[in-house]
């Protein structure tokens, strides 16, 4: 496992963003783990988050893109932090863009987007915190493709929960097949479990709960 992945797992734990216990998801599933990207609230945390995304995007897609698109609302600070990290780590100027929940009908920046204006030929990397159902992509992919003649290079999420989406495959696999672009994560939950188990930071009870969860909701691939 790459060092930046290990560092990010420790970072999620230290930021109290990745938790273990019993949580009810929007889908109604009872999960033994939960990741809340809204828990990154300090400047240092946002800086670390942006650096982790930048390293993972660079690893997956290189530098051949122009715009980072973060869906409102949680995607906005992630896109901004990642754009800053690309400038600092790789010396690459990257524009950021986000959609608005409601169109703005006044001022110089009226419309449905925040940040840069999407242009013909723009190569876009989509950013999300965590994808379970792919619902956010249903809303934002048509917006990005409809705003200009853009190319979506791929999607990057911070954590791949690695559970079934709407069918038998993971949500990320479903997104790849539905929209025709690759989808990656900084880390996957199996990588998290492997790393924390090696460090002795997960109890036998927690491991048993996670195993039971995946027997019920894991992908059938």
């Amino acid at each position: 496992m790459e060092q930046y992945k290990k560092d990010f797992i420790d970072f999620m734990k230290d930021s109290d963003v990745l938790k273990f216990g019993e949580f009810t998801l929007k889908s109604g599933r009872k999960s033994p783990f939960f990741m809340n990207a809204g828990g990154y609230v300090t400047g240092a945390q946002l800086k670390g988050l942006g650096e982790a995304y930048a390293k993972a995007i660079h690893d997956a897609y290189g530098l051949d893109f122009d715009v980072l698109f973060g869906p409102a609302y949680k995607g906005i600070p992630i896109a901004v932090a990642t754009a800053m990290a690309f400038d600092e780590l790789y010396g690459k100027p990257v524009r950021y863009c986000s959609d608005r929940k409601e169109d703005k009908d006044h001022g110089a920046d009226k419309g449905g987007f925040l940040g840069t204006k999407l242009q013909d030929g723009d190569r876009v990397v989509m950013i999300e915190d965590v994808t379970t159902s792919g619902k956010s992509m249903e809303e934002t992919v048509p917006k990005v493709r409809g705003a200009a003649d853009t190319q979506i290079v791929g999607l990057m999420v911070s954590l791949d929960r690695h559970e079934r989406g709407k069918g038998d495959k993971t949500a990320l696999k479903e997104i790849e097949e539905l929209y025709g672009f690759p989808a990656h994560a900084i880390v996957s939950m199996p990588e998290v479990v492997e790393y924390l188990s090696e460090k002795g930071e997960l109890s036998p009870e927690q491991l048993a709960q996670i195993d039971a969860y995946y027997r019920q909701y894991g992908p059938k691939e």
Side-chain angles (χ1 to χ4, degrees), residues 123-137:
R123 295 155 298 178
V124 181
V125 172
M126 309 287 283
I127 289 181
E128 273 211 299
D129 53 351
V130 59
T131 297
T132 302
S133 66
K135 180 173 177 55
S136 177
M137 290 295 101

Side-chain angles (χ1 to χ4, degrees), residues 24-148:
T24 301
L25 307 179
K26 289 181 181 178
S27 62
R29 296 175 182 177
K30 303 286 187 181
S31 175
F33 56 88
F34 184 70
M35 196 282 289
N36 174 28
Y40 298 114
V41 294
T42 70
Q45 288 172 338
L46 289 170
K47 184 175 186 292
L49 182 64
E51 289 173 351
Y53 266 96
K55 291 174 183 177
I57 291 170
H58 181 265
D59 191 34
Y61 305 120
L63 296 173
D64 192 19
F65 69 96
D66 309 292
V67 178
L68 292 166
F69 186 92
Y73 289 102
K74 288 182 180 178
I76 298 173
I78 298 174
V80 171
T82 305
M84 294 171 69
F86 261 99
D87 185 75
E88 183 174 336
L89 295 176
Y90 304 109
K92 177 179 174 60
V94 176
R95 292 144 51 211
Y96 94 93
C97 183
S98 176
D99 61 325
R100 300 180 191 270
K101 292 294 185 181
E102 297 179 355
D103 285 2
K104 183 180 178 184
D105 60 3
H106 61 280
D109 61 341
K110 63 183 179 181
F113 294 97
L114 180 71
T116 190
K117 181 178 180 180
L118 293 173
Q119 305 168 7
D120 289 348
D122 275 345
R123 295 155 298 178
V124 181
V125 172
M126 309 287 283
I127 289 181
E128 273 211 299
D129 53 351
V130 59
T131 297
T132 302
S133 66
K135 180 173 177 55
S136 177
M137 290 295 101
E138 291 179 11
E139 299 173 353
T140 56
V141 167
K143 290 182 180 180
V144 171
R145 288 178 169 168

Side-chain angles (χ1 to χ4, degrees), residues 172-189:
L172 289 187
K173 287 291 184 184
E174 290 177 350
I175 287 170
E176 288 184 337
E177 293 181 0
L178 182 60
Y179 299 111
F181 55 74
H184 293 278
I186 302 175
V187 292
S188 68
M189 201 60 207

Side-chain angles (χ1 to χ4, degrees), residues 1-3 5-11 13 187-202:
M1 188 187 307
E2 294 89 338
Q3 186 60 45
K5 290 177 176 281
K6 297 178 180 179
D7 292 342
F8 186 65
I9 296 170
D10 289 331
F11 174 69
K13 286 271 290 179
V187 292
S188 68
M189 201 60 207
E191 290 174 322
V192 171
V193 173
E194 177 186 358
Y195 177 63
L196 294 181
S197 296
E198 290 175 355
K199 294 182 67 180
E201 294 186 13
L202 291 175

